Amino acid sequence: MTILFFKPTAAKEKIALLFLLKLLILGCLLKSIFFIYNYKISRGWDIHTSADLLGITKWSLLYDALCIAIILLPLFVILFAGGKYLSHKLAQVIIGGMFSVALSVLISLNIIDIFYYRFHLQRADADLLYVLRNPLDARMGTILLGITGLLFVIITVTVVYNHITRIIQSRTPANRFLLTITILVLFLVSFFITGTKKILPTFPLTKLSPVQLPLVQNSFHSFVYSLYRSDETMLPDRIYMSTAQQDSLFSIHKKNDTVSPAKNIVLFIMESVPLDFFDTNSPYKVSMPFLDSIIGKSTFYDNAFSYSYSSNKGITAILSGLPTITDIPLYHSNYTSIPRVSIGSALKKRNYSSAFFIGDNYDDFGFAKCSRWLGIEQYYSMESIPGYRQMEKHSMGLHDEYVLDFMQKKLRGMQQPFFAIQYNVSTHYPNDIPSSFAKTHPALKGTAQMKTMLYYDECIRQFFKTASEQPWYANSVFIFCSDHWAQPHSNNIKIDEVESFRIPLFIYEPGNEVDSVITSPVSQFDIANTILHYGGIRDSILSYGTNLKDTLLLPGRTIFTKTNSAIYQAINEKYVLGFNAMEGKAVYCYAYKKDPEKKINLLLKPINPEIIRITLEMKAFLQTAA
């Protein structure tokens, strides 16, 4: 760090620089822990040579140094210009408190990301404000975690405050020149490195591979920068092609080629369920007596993909057919007025009633807002269920059996045709199992995630046992889809460009049982169109998906996923192509079936027409979304 090359002449003049050095060392330590803890997830961070390691070290130090220095720059200005006012105790308390809190947030976010990265798969951003919203009531584990975190913050603030107070009290006229030069150098270095008018380093850092980017970033920077961009479109306004060519490659103006006589539609959104639990070739295949039985009577899509890694982006893709481009959920953003098909409102015009059921607290993850945004009439959360305080709870809310039983009772009174959504919570981390289920199934085998899937299978079995006796059942369709992929095993973690987006998706119609497997790539975006198909709606669909019942009409189809804030992927039956939307260029392409380890980047070889085509489709997708 540039400021470390100055050598003050007095011991007191070293205090500020030593404090900066300590913070930088702490940042290096946190990065090292982050590196080790998430090593398996990132395929070893794609480090193959000493040059790779040197580049990562250089940019990591720069990110941390600039973030620390920029937080403290105002302090240096105050030290330089404060004069006699800094001798007052109250001024020292206020100034010390302000900067110690800011630095504590910087440290805390980087600590949180060590462990949260494996769920979010990128550094902290504004999405944290909408994910970590569960109240602490009646959750002893969360309360203890909260108390521990609070104590950590208090200790951190106290230590940092003491350092900053010493810096203020040690200020002497002799070090004014040093502080002035430090400020000028930091501003010049920051401007030179970023090449922009923004003080903080902008991301994505294009000098490194997308896999390595989270290793060098500072979580405080990525979080603040995402807040700074929250009012902006997250994609640059690039014009890759004419509108006519864009529409020929990818159009969001859809029409269902087929429609069904109006049916009752029940959508089960399965929380954090990977395809592995349904894949007979996976070591994590779960033997689910009930779900396995109805899959044999269903249309199963064995090449289905989620749009992203998070629930709030998954629910938006599933229910609206729209991608979330912003760092915050679309239904919380400034883009809630964008043109869309409000699925509840559209179905209501066809005389549908609609309801959303979840065992979580009201509006956790913003799902109540999402439901209202999409015109869904009723929203039932944990608090809606009579006697919920006496029922056994998962860490995220009520266990599925109670919610499904409540849903069953509500469906009996709903006007037909109806559209009902159940978003389960029991398969969510930390995968709690009810004590009653554990007692009746003492020989459960598999990972914690697999065991909760067995519990969910039993809950669904009970639901269908009762539902099959109801008059609405025969004229109904049941759609099952996961909100996003999740780790099937906590101790054997590996993130993959293709496998980490693969999710279960199948459709069961009691009045039209079939045993069908569709191998064409399909997407979460397709579900909204499919729901409208079963609602008898053919025209004027604004969606990034298509009707799943028309999938066979789309050979060689390409679907799209979002890896992080910069990288989007296009996946077809042969290739996965990664595209850096900020740079406007493809960064990798793998023939993932022939090269499952993703060792050969086909962009480094003569590019064939198929790769050119998928690149153009990606550009059309991004141009449409921008």
Side-chain angles (χ1 to χ4, degrees), residues 199-244:
I199 293 178
L200 287 177
T202 58
F203 80 98
L205 180 61
T206 57
K207 300 293 185 182
L208 300 173
S209 77
V211 173
Q212 295 166 345
L213 180 61
L215 184 58
V216 305
Q217 284 178 311
N218 184 288
S219 299
F220 178 83
H221 158 250
S222 60
F223 179 77
V224 172
Y225 188 51
S226 68
L227 293 177
Y228 168 81
R229 304 187 314 155
S230 63
D231 293 334
E232 302 176 357
T233 300
M234 297 296 103
L235 296 175
D237 293 329
R238 297 182 186 272
I239 305 299
Y240 295 106
M241 61 194 70
S242 67
T243 302

Side-chain angles (χ1 to χ4, degrees), residues 37-242:
Y37 187 76
N38 296 295
Y39 187 81
K40 290 184 179 180
I41 295 177
S42 59
R43 296 202 308 263
W45 301 107
D46 277 358
I47 297 174
H48 305 293
T49 66
S50 58
D52 292 336
L53 188 59
L54 181 63
I56 289 172
T57 303
K58 177 186 73 175
W59 285 105
S60 177
L61 287 171
L62 180 65
Y63 263 85
D64 288 347
L66 286 179
C67 286
I68 292 167
I70 289 168
I71 287 178
L72 292 178
L73 276 177
L75 175 63
F76 289 172
V77 172
I78 293 171
L79 290 174
F80 179 72
K84 63 180 182 180
Y85 298 106
L86 291 180
S87 61
H88 295 291
K89 185 66 175 178
L90 180 61
Q92 294 178 11
V93 170
I94 294 173
I95 294 169
M98 288 171 52
F99 288 99
S100 60
V101 168
L103 287 171
S104 297
V105 172
L106 180 149
I107 296 168
S108 298
L109 283 173
N110 282 280
I111 291 175
I112 289 169
D113 263 353
I114 293 173
F115 309 100
Y116 188 58
Y117 176 77
R118 62 181 54 198
F119 299 103
H120 197 49
L121 296 179
Q122 65 181 64
R123 285 279 181 173
D125 58 26
D127 186 61
L128 279 176
L129 298 176
Y130 304 94
V131 173
L132 304 179
R133 292 172 58 88
N134 292 58
L136 299 180
D137 57 307
R139 298 177 185 183
M140 187 55 65
T142 309
I143 291 175
L144 292 174
L145 183 63
I147 292 173
T148 303
L150 181 61
L151 288 174
F152 166 78
V153 171
I154 291 173
I155 293 170
T156 305
V157 168
T158 302
V159 172
V160 175
Y161 173 79
N162 289 334
H163 276 82
I164 292 176
T165 302
R166 289 183 63 205
I167 292 172
I168 296 173
Q169 294 172 346
S170 68
R171 184 184 66 89
T172 65
N175 65 14
R176 288 190 178 187
F177 175 75
L178 172 63
L179 294 176
T180 303
I181 295 299
T182 298
I183 292 168
L184 291 174
V185 168
L186 286 172
F187 269 108
L188 289 174
V189 169
S190 177
F191 182 84
F192 176 76
I193 293 296
T194 63
T196 72
K197 295 181 180 179
K198 299 181 179 70
I199 293 178
L200 287 177
T202 58
F203 80 98
L205 180 61
T206 57
K207 300 293 185 182
L208 300 173
S209 77
V211 173
Q212 295 166 345
L213 180 61
L215 184 58
V216 305
Q217 284 178 311
N218 184 288
S219 299
F220 178 83
H221 158 250
S222 60
F223 179 77
V224 172
Y225 188 51
S226 68
L227 293 177
Y228 168 81
R229 304 187 314 155
S230 63
D231 293 334
E232 302 176 357
T233 300
M234 297 296 103
L235 296 175
D237 293 329
R238 297 182 186 272
I239 305 299
Y240 295 106
M241 61 194 70
S242 67

Side-chain angles (χ1 to χ4, degrees), residues 235-236 240 325 568 579-581 617-626:
L235 296 175
Y240 295 106
I325 304 299
Y568 291 76
F579 193 92
N580 189 319
E617 289 175 326
M618 169 59 82
K619 290 179 176 180
F621 169 82
L622 293 174
Q623 184 169 306
T624 301

Side-chain angles (χ1 to χ4, degrees), residues 260-263 265 352 477 507 509 530-536 549:
S260 165
K263 287 178 174 287
I265 306 165
Y352 271 79
V477 58
I507 300 174
E509 295 183 66
T530 308
I531 291 168
L532 296 175
H533 157 84
Y534 283 110
K549 307 308 288 187

